[in-house]
Amino acid sequence: MLTLADDFMRMAQMRDWMAGQSWFDVTQYRINPPQGGAMHWSRPLDIPIAGSVSFFGLFLPSTLAEYLTLLALPLLLLGLLMVVVFKTTKRLVDEKSALVAAFLLPSFPLIIRQFLPGRIDHHSWQILMAALAMFGLLDRNSKRGALLMAFALAFWMHVSIEGLPYVVMFGAILAASYIFPNFASRPVKD
């Protein structure tokens, strides 16, 4: 199981929150004691981790519940990513090609590395939000697609400022499609 320092810190942050640390206080008091170190992470990603640990904790000791969370959560996110890639690709090509695209996704080293068991840091969420934004961009129902894309990009930015260049890119695509409505238009299936 692959775990990096950020994954351990994410688990520590979730434990602190579950132990009573304020939702709005993401200070890690293990770093630079006694005042602690200010963390740049947001709390929403702690919710699925805490939920999974709490669920498995109904049947197992806490250590085992955390271990199962480290195994299950990245694989669940990978499954969601594969579904989004399948649905997005299906809008552009046929169902068989979309299925191939979804099942080939885990063969890309830069992608799969973020979804290996043990990886609970924010990078898998960033990739999932990028795929969801693309899914929204290709929606024939422009209002529904815009709302989905806005949610995905806003959540991505809340998770990490690393998404800013991609938000600008999606904005540029939307601006170009508004200014040049027939440029590179391609039929998109529902």
Side-chain angles (χ1 to χ4, degrees), residues 6-7 10 40-42 45 49 77 114-115 119-129 155-156 158-163:
D6 282 354
D7 302 307
R10 174 64 70 182
H40 63 281
W41 293 348
S42 60
L45 299 188
I49 299 167
L77 293 175
Q114 301 305 331
F115 293 90
R119 293 289 291 149
I120 57 169
D121 191 19
H122 62 279
H123 295 98
S124 55
W125 286 95
Q126 289 178 292
I127 295 167
L128 181 59
M129 290 304 111
F155 189 79
W156 188 358
H158 188 71
V159 167
S160 173
I161 194 69
E162 295 166 345

Side-chain angles (χ1 to χ4, degrees), residues 80-130:
L80 289 173
L81 178 64
M82 290 172 73
V83 167
V84 172
V85 166
F86 170 76
K87 290 186 168 286
T88 304
T89 308
K90 188 177 167 188
R91 287 183 171 172
L92 297 172
V93 293
D94 60 283
E95 190 170 329
K96 193 180 289 185
S97 299
L99 199 57
V100 169
F103 280 102
L104 279 177
L105 190 64
S107 70
F108 292 97
L110 294 175
I111 297 289
I112 194 62
R113 183 173 194 277
Q114 301 305 331
F115 293 90
L116 289 174
R119 293 289 291 149
I120 57 169
D121 191 19
H122 62 279
H123 295 98
S124 55
W125 286 95
Q126 289 178 292
I127 295 167
L128 181 59
M129 290 304 111

Side-chain angles (χ1 to χ4, degrees), residues 28-96:
Q28 277 303 315
Y29 294 98
R30 293 167 186 82
I31 302 171
N32 193 27
Q35 65 268 21
M39 297 299 293
H40 63 281
W41 293 348
S42 60
R43 283 272 189 223
L45 299 188
D46 294 338
I47 295 171
I49 299 167
S52 178
V53 168
S54 297
F55 173 75
F56 290 130
L58 294 173
F59 317 104
L60 302 165
S62 62
T63 305
L64 217 49
E66 287 182 2
Y67 188 75
L68 274 177
T69 296
L70 288 170
L71 289 172
L73 192 57
L75 296 176
L76 175 67
L77 293 175
L78 177 61
L80 289 173
L81 178 64
M82 290 172 73
V83 167
V84 172
V85 166
F86 170 76
K87 290 186 168 286
T88 304
T89 308
K90 188 177 167 188
R91 287 183 171 172
L92 297 172
V93 293
D94 60 283
E95 190 170 329
K96 193 180 289 185

Side-chain angles (χ1 to χ4, degrees), residues 103-186:
F103 280 102
L104 279 177
L105 190 64
S107 70
F108 292 97
L110 294 175
I111 297 289
I112 194 62
R113 183 173 194 277
Q114 301 305 331
F115 293 90
L116 289 174
R119 293 289 291 149
I120 57 169
D121 191 19
H122 62 279
H123 295 98
S124 55
W125 286 95
Q126 289 178 292
I127 295 167
L128 181 59
M129 290 304 111
L132 202 57
M134 183 59 74
F135 181 69
L137 181 68
L138 296 175
D139 197 335
R140 290 190 73 135
N141 182 328
S142 60
K143 287 183 182 178
R144 180 181 60 204
L147 287 173
L148 183 60
M149 190 169 46
F151 165 78
L153 295 175
F155 189 79
W156 188 358
M157 289 293 296
H158 188 71
V159 167
S160 173
I161 194 69
E162 295 166 345
L164 181 60
Y166 300 100
V167 171
V168 170
M169 179 192 72
F170 276 100
I173 291 169
L174 289 175
S177 67
Y178 181 78
I179 295 168
F180 309 106
N182 296 323
F183 181 72
S185 63
R186 186 172 177 186

